[in-house]
């Protein structure tokens, strides 16, 4: 279904949006900015990440070729093997002011897991978070759980399925659910006001509790599915006796772009989604909309963010039976190019006042998804979207494809951002005919770790 | 102090198995076979707050401080790695070693100080008063798990003085008992917390976490004829089931009943009884360190007999799967008994090296073999970390039993060697 390097769906339009391998020179030498999506296709490989261990001559050449202003002019032509080796070795720095995996250029694969704490001991929870932090630092550097010898009479410390792979730009992002602050661990006074449960939103009636919520979450993203699975599997193994996995989700084919250097991907409806997403390099926007600042009621959250996860099932068969005009009216965009129905190209701002060519009503329907999700219609509210497509195979009861969008967003306060937009979408969006929100979760994502020995929420626990 | 054997209420079946060994564990009221010399006390003292029974270290002024960094890349590194004899405080930091959760200071198989619960990102501290000699810092699970550590200067006990070495053995054993009782106190408190919270999984894990500390000191605990039955009796040994207290009725509720309900009062009683055990062992240790003429204290022959008695415990009730009837974690008790026995033996080693070095080598080797065999039954996924008893094959049980007998045979000679030294 998806190529190793490509977008989830075969290119639906004339422009290659996701597969740089076939178009290494596609971006050309233009400086490009947010308005030049083609520049992204070349840079996607690096994912905005630092390359490490590109010591081999081929690697260095490839790196130069990928980064240089004119890749065509550089020395040796790259082979697919060269490119994949580079991609495999790409790493994202683990330590920093913020956790990686939020504004990190979005990788192709996701495994998300929610855990329930099964201990009453806050020290056990803290030790797990310390262990997870050390493991995450190692995994994101492409290392196994532990170096050194494995004794033959004991199970290996690392499960091993990622041993011959590289880090593939792995990021691990850990969050705390409201359950961390219940009566069990003595942390009630440290509960951020913004972590209170989301109110029931329009369209929430089919939420399934067993795949919603949780006390801890782990978002693992990388450019290889086995790498993300390995991370989650070993986290779950390390959690035995302290936390059990409540639910999990695999995602593929990123359904958002988080950098001006990334092409806008397509969702399973075949549309470009998230064209107006906050981009990581827009630091003014991330400061204003994504990161928790000193105004928070909980100083331990400064530099953190709030994660909302929503599993949105798509009624794909119904959608596939809808005429193109209805599909485009639903989104408010042209399916092939992603341009607004009010005119221009993909990155042309929506003209919400534009009148349809027929003169009968607005060019962008009053209930179109792009209009209702726009900051203009939501008092300027924005959030950083980081969703993935998913499929859980087929619904054995109905025979229909069980697939959709695993929506993840980050913001300073989900009640003031996600809830505002979703309230509007849930009540009026034309797309509601084709989607159902089946799971929902909210987590506080603490700030980044300062270095070895630091761990998730160290300031929260105050041990 | 009354004779342990006269007040013990353990079932006859068990008493038969251990009576001979326990006779030597009776805490005599006064006197000491090893009181001729009175060496400076060299106490390995845990500074863990809960082991308050341990007195302050009495080393010379100018306590040495050693930073121990545990990293995955470098293993277990001490800075400095050489200090002068005296009180030494170890500040341990697990920087990023995922597989490491404890650190021990070893001297020829003997644990001189240890701390557990050391996850990445966490610190721990312990203090030991050390004589000159070679030590090891052991961080199990680290990429390099053993690091040499040197203490320079005069040993407080001059080698060759067997009587003094034997006296020192009782002090070292007292330190070991104190550290284990300290950890036991923490562990039963955690068990009570989990039970009060109604958290069955946490309570089952806490039960398994607490058992080894009790099993390692069993000969000493059993010497308190009123406390041991209250703490460790099994249902078959109780006359009135309504009066059944201690670990095992809790075990039955947690593992057979699948509930914490009804265990709250039992857990509270257990915490109280362990507290009493801690105060009594603290008194014994203090008397031992003071080499007091009056008061109960550890005697060298009871240390030697205790080492054998612990292995007798294994033969009697662990290898048969009787001890942990509901939880099936008998191999965890097995391992703890063996460790406790090894530590009692290790305390005697400096003296035994003067008396019969070949015997020391022989016993040490056989302990190593037994522990290696036990390691093959580790199962991190199981409660307690070992294969559950019911999952062992008959052949495996026989193999363990044989390995155990292999140690008991030469170890049982130790008490007479000491008595005639």
């Amino acid at each position: 279904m998806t190529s190793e390097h490509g977008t989830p769906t075969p290119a639906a339009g004339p422009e290659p949006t996701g597969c740089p391998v076939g178009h290494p020179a596609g971006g050309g030498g233009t400086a490009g900015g947010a308005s030049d999506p083609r520049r992204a296709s070349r840079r996607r490989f690096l994912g905005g990440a630092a390359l490490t261990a590109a010591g081999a001559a081929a690697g260095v050449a490839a790196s130069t070729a990928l980064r240089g202003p004119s890749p065509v002019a550089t020395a040796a032509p790259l082979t697919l093997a060269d490119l994949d080796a580079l991609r495999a070795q790409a790493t994202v720095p683990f330590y920093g002011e913020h956790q990686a995996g939020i504004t990190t250029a979005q990788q192709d694969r996701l495994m998300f897991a929610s855990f329930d704490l099964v201990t009453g001991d806050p020290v056990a929870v803290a030790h797990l978070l310390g262990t997870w932090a050390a493991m995450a630092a190692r995994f994101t550097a492409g290392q196994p759980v532990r170096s050194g010898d494995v004794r033959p009479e004991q199970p290996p410390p690392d499960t091993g399925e990622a041993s011959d792979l590289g880090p593939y730009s792995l990021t691990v992002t850990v969050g705390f659910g409201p359950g961390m602050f219940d009566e069990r661990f003595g942390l009630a006074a440290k509960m951020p006001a913004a972590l209170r449960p989301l109110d029931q939103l329009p369209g929430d009636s089919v939420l399934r509790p067993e795949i919603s919520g949780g006390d801890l979450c782990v978002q693992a993203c990388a450019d290889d599915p086995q790498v993300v699975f390995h991370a989650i599997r070993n986290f779950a193994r390390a959690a035995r006796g302290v936390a059990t996995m409540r639910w999990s989700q695999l995602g593929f084919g990123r359904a958002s772009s988080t950098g001006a250097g990334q092409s806008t991907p397509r969702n399973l409806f075949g549309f470009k989604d998230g064209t107006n997403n906050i981009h990581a390099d827009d630091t003014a926007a991330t400061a204003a909309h994504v990161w928790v600042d000193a105004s928070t009621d909980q100083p331990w959250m400064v530099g953190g963010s709030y994660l909302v996860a929503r599993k949105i099932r798509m009624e794909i068969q119904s959608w596939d039976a809808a005429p193109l005009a209805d599909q485009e009216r639903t989104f408010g965009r042209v399916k092939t190019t992603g341009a607004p129905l009010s005119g221009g190209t993909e990155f042309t701002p929506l003209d919400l006042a534009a009148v349809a060519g027929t003169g009968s009503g607005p060019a962008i329907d009053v209930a179109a998804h792009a209009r209702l999700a726009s900051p203009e219609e939501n008092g300027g509210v924005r959030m950083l979207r980081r969703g993935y497509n998913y499929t859980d195979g087929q619904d054995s009861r109905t025979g229909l494809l069980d697939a959709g969008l695993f929506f993840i967003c980050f913001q300073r306060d989900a009640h003031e951002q996600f809830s505002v937009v979703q309230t509007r979408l849930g009540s009026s969006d034309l797309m509601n005919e084709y989607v159902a929100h089946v799971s929902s979760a909210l987590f506080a994502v603490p700030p980044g770790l300062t270095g070895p020995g630091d761990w998730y929420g160290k300031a929260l626990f105050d041990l | 102090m009354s004779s342990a054997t006269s007040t013990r209420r353990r079932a006859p079946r068990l008493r038969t198995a251990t009576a001979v060994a326990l006779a030597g564990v009776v805490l005599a009221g006064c006197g000491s076979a090893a009181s001729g010399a009175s060496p400076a006390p060299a106490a390995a003292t845990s500074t863990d707050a809960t082991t308050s029974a341990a007195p302050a270290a009495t080393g010379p002024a100018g306590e040495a401080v050693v930073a121990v960094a545990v990293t995955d890349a470098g293993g277990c590194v001490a800075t400095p790695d050489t200090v002068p004899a005296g009180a030494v405080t170890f500040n341990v930091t697990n920087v990023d070693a995922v597989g490491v959760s404890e650190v021990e200071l070893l001297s020829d198989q003997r644990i001189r100080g240890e701390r557990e619960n050391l996850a990445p990102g966490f610190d721990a501290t312990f203090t030991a008063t050390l004589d000159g000699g070679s030590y090891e810092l052991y961080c199990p699970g680290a990429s390099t798990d053993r690091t040499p550590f040197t203490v320079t200067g005069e040993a407080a006990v001059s080698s060759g003085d067997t009587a003094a070495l034997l006296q020192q053995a009782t002090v070292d054993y007292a330190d070991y008992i104190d550290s284990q009782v300290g950890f036991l106190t923490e562990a039963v408190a955690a068990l009570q917390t989990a039970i009060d919270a109604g958290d069955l999984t946490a309570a089952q894990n806490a039960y398994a976490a607490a058992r080894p500390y009790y099993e390692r000191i069993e000969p000493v605990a059993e010497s308190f004829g009123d406390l041991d039955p209250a703490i460790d009796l099994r249902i078959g040994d109780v006359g009135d089931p309504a009066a059944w207290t201690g670990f095992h009725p809790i075990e039955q509720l947690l593992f057979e009943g699948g509930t914490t309900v009804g265990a709250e009062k039992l857990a509270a009683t257990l915490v109280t009884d362990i507290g009493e055990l801690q105060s009594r062992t603290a008194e014994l240790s203090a008397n031992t360190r003071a080499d007091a003429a009056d008061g109960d204290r550890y005697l060298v022959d009871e240390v030697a007999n205790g080492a054998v008695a612990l292995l007798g415990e294994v033969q009697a009730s662990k290898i048969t799967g009787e001890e942990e009837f509901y939880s099936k974690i008998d191999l965890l008790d097995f391992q703890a008994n063996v460790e406790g026995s090894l530590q009692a033996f290790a305390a005697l080693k400096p003296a035994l090296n003067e008396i019969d070095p070949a015997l020391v080598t022989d016993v040490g080797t056989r302990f190593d073999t037994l522990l290696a065999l036990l390691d093959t039954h580790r199962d991190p996924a199981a409660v307690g970390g070992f294969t559950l008893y019911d999952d062992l094959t008959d052949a495996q049980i026989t193999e363990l039993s044989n390995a155990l007998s292999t140690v008991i045979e030469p170890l049982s000679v130790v008490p007479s060697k000491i008595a005639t030294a």
Side-chain angles (χ1 to χ4, degrees), chain A residues 95 117-121 123 126-131 134-135 138 145-149 151 153-155 184 237 240-242 452-455 458 463, chain B residues 72-73 94-100 116-122 138 141-143 145 190 193 197 199 201-202 205 372 375-381:
Chain A
Y95 297 107
L117 288 164
V118 296
T119 179
D121 180 3
V123 176
H127 284 178
L128 174 63
L129 294 170
T131 301
M135 289 172 72
R138 297 183 59 78
V145 168
R146 179 166 78 74
S147 51
D149 296 335
R151 295 169 61 173
E153 71 272 15
Q154 291 184 7
R184 290 175 292 175
R237 188 182 182 199
R240 280 178 190 166
V242 180
D454 194 6
W455 42 274
K458 193 169 185 177
L463 287 176
Chain B
D72 187 86
N94 184 348
V95 178
D96 65 356
V98 173
V100 178
E116 297 190 352
N117 293 326
L118 192 64
F122 287 80
Y138 178 44
S143 50
D145 62 0
T193 300
D199 188 335
T201 303
N205 286 319
D375 278 346
T376 67
H377 295 288
R378 287 189 188 273
D379 177 3

Side-chain angles (χ1 to χ4, degrees), chain A residues 14 50 56 92 117 147 151 155 197-198 205 240 243 271 300 309 324 361 365 400 422 428-429 458:
Chain A
V92 179
L117 288 164
S147 51
R151 295 169 61 173
L198 296 173
S205 56
R240 280 178 190 166
F271 275 74
W300 64 267
L324 176 62
D365 194 283
L400 299 174
Q422 185 53 33
S428 320
D429 192 355
K458 193 169 185 177

Side-chain angles (χ1 to χ4, degrees), chain B residues 226-250:
Chain B
D226 51 343
L227 270 182
D228 181 56
I231 294 171
D232 201 31
L233 225 50
R234 284 168 285 143
I235 185 67
D237 300 336
V238 182
D240 174 11
W244 191 25
T245 59
F247 276 112
H248 294 299
I250 294 175

